[in-house]
Amino acid sequence: MNKIECTLCPRRCKVPEGGRGDCRVRTNVGGKLFSLVYGNPCSVHIDPIEKKPFFHIVPGSTAFSIATAGCNLHCRYCQNWQISQIPPEEAHSEQMLPEEVVRQALKNNCRSIAYTYSDPIVYYEYTIDTSILAKEKGLLNILVTGGYIEQEPLIELCKSAHAIKVDLKGITEEFYKKMSRATLQPVLDAIVTIKKSGVWLELCNLIVPTWNDSDADLRQLIRWVKDNCGRDTPLHFSKFWPMYQLLDLPPTPNETITRAWEMAKAEGMPFAYVGNIPDHPGNNTYCPHDGKLLVARLGYEVQENHIIDGKCEYCATAIPGIWK
């Protein structure tokens, strides 16, 4: 059958001649794997960097954001399922080669390029080539990913990335299998590798009612992050809204998100955050030394910023992140 094993992600798809992998965007042509989405984004936007969310990367800046069709995860609550869960021929794509992505980012005064919406893992070659050019031009490369990737391609990806946000969707194998027919351990391994690489890391956990919202699950996740990534790693807790295949569940109560945020703070993580709840104090960044408000946010808007040259304006405590 002339099958080829794809070594990009833990699914290790064995792709037959003319067939495709689980992500729908890699095909076997004459015994070689080809990407069907290189240079063909189906989503191009300029976003506030806070939307990703990145809270410790140049607050108030904009990110030139791109995505192609396809994904190697199939999350039952995916908010971008219209592009992530379809083959590329069903997407309304445009041609935009790496040089043009960088040109447009610079033209629109964006500080960064974000590889986002679906997952940069499935448009891996496009991400690599674009990020190398972007880095040469002084742009930051920020990746938003589920982290379902093998170690060798991840290490290569980290060479041109400045920051990566991983969606740590749960902390049990049972959850990952139920949520996306995936496995947890490769995601944990990827997170540790990113942290060790020196690339700036932020994590996000979407809390889904009855699925991953127990105190035991939240505490286990928080402690794993603290023990394996360090207490200064930003950890975002986001509110679930009924989406895609999970329309029968209610939105996450605000009290649940607040409880997770408070648990992380109690575990000694000063940069725990709350997402999808505007006006919540968990939207803001506070100095871990004196507790002063450093970055005030309302939704995706930065209203105050008291981080000067990477330090607290009031006590000069260094705040980890990329601030210019």
Side-chain angles (χ1 to χ4, degrees):
M1 292 293 290
N2 196 27
K3 290 184 178 180
I4 302 176
E5 182 179 38
C6 179
T7 58
L8 180 58
C9 94
R11 295 195 185 278
R12 308 288 293 203
C13 296
K14 294 178 174 59
V15 187
E17 175 72 34
R20 300 188 187 185
D22 179 82
C23 64
R24 306 177 181 86
V25 303
R26 313 181 84 76
T27 187
N28 178 349
V29 179
K32 293 184 178 180
L33 283 176
F34 286 85
S35 168
L36 296 170
V37 294
Y38 187 97
N40 290 289
C42 62
S43 187
V44 179
H45 299 282
I46 295 174
D47 292 329
I49 202 166
E50 286 75 20
K51 187 178 180 180
K52 301 305 160 188
F54 278 105
F55 279 9
H56 286 237
I57 304 288
V58 199
S61 67
T62 54
F64 192 82
S65 304
I66 61 172
T68 73
C71 191
N72 62 340
L73 292 175
H74 310 290
C75 305
R76 294 177 62 185
Y77 49 64
C78 180
Q79 65 177 356
N80 294 314
W81 62 272
Q82 295 95 335
I83 63 171
S84 71
Q85 303 304 311
I86 63 171
E89 61 268 24
E90 294 181 15
H92 297 287
S93 302
E94 59 182 293
Q95 185 179 66
M96 186 176 283
L97 294 174
E99 295 82 0
E100 181 62 14
V101 175
V102 173
R103 192 183 76 82
Q104 288 295 330
L106 293 170
K107 177 183 176 182
N108 288 281
N109 297 314
C110 295
R111 182 66 185 91
S112 58
I113 296 176
Y115 310 83
T116 180
Y117 303 138
S118 51
D119 199 305
I121 290 170
V122 300
Y123 51 98
Y124 180 83
E125 297 86 356
Y126 187 32
T127 298
I128 288 280
D129 290 351
T130 305
S131 62
I132 290 172
L133 291 176
K135 193 172 186 179
E136 291 173 354
K137 295 295 185 179
L139 291 165
L140 298 176
N141 292 302
I142 62 175
L143 282 64
V144 178
T145 176
Y148 206 54
I149 185 172
E150 293 283 44
Q151 287 290 299
E152 187 174 343
L154 174 61
I155 290 168
E156 189 65 27
L157 200 61
C158 287
K159 291 179 181 178
S160 52
H162 296 90
I164 300 178
K165 190 217 76 177
V166 178
D167 290 313
L168 180 55
K169 300 170 188 296
I171 200 61
T172 66
E173 291 287 355
E174 178 185 7
F175 177 85
Y176 264 80
K177 182 178 180 180
K178 179 181 178 182
M179 175 274 302
S180 195
R181 306 194 310 274
T183 50
L184 168 66
Q185 192 58 48
V187 179
L188 300 182
D189 293 342
I191 290 170
V192 171
T193 295
I194 294 165
K195 188 68 178 183
K196 288 181 177 178
S197 76
V199 172
W200 179 251
L201 172 70
E202 301 198 20
L203 300 173
C204 186
N205 177 233
L206 182 73
I207 301 179
V208 184
T210 72
W211 279 48
N212 64 348
D213 62 343
S214 71
D215 282 1
D217 280 350
L218 293 171
R219 188 171 292 108
Q220 183 181 349
L221 185 143
I222 292 164
R223 289 179 176 174
W224 185 91
V225 173
K226 184 177 71 171
D227 293 344
N228 291 275
C229 304
R231 62 186 298 272
D232 286 342
T233 301
L235 175 57
H236 304 255
F237 295 103
S238 290
K239 181 186 180 82
F240 162 85
W241 293 96
M243 193 73 65
Y244 190 34
Q245 297 176 343
L246 283 190
L247 299 175
D248 58 333
L249 292 178
T252 315
N254 289 1
E255 294 77 13
T256 302
I257 306 294
T258 298
R259 187 174 81 247
W261 176 65
E262 291 175 342
M263 288 171 65
K265 292 277 194 178
E267 288 286 343
M269 299 194 68
F271 304 121
Y273 294 106
V274 164
N276 297 344
I277 307 177
D279 274 333
H280 194 289
N283 294 170
N284 304 324
T285 300
Y286 300 89
C287 178
H289 177 70
D290 61 18
K292 293 282 184 66
L293 174 65
L294 295 182
V295 183
R297 301 177 181 88
L298 180 62
Y300 302 136
E301 180 185 345
V302 172
Q303 298 184 310
E304 298 178 43
N305 186 353
H306 302 285
I307 297 176
I308 309 297
D309 294 328
K311 298 178 180 179
C312 171
E313 179 181 350
Y314 308 104
C315 70
T317 294
I319 309 299
I322 300 173
W323 303 108
K324 63 171 84 171

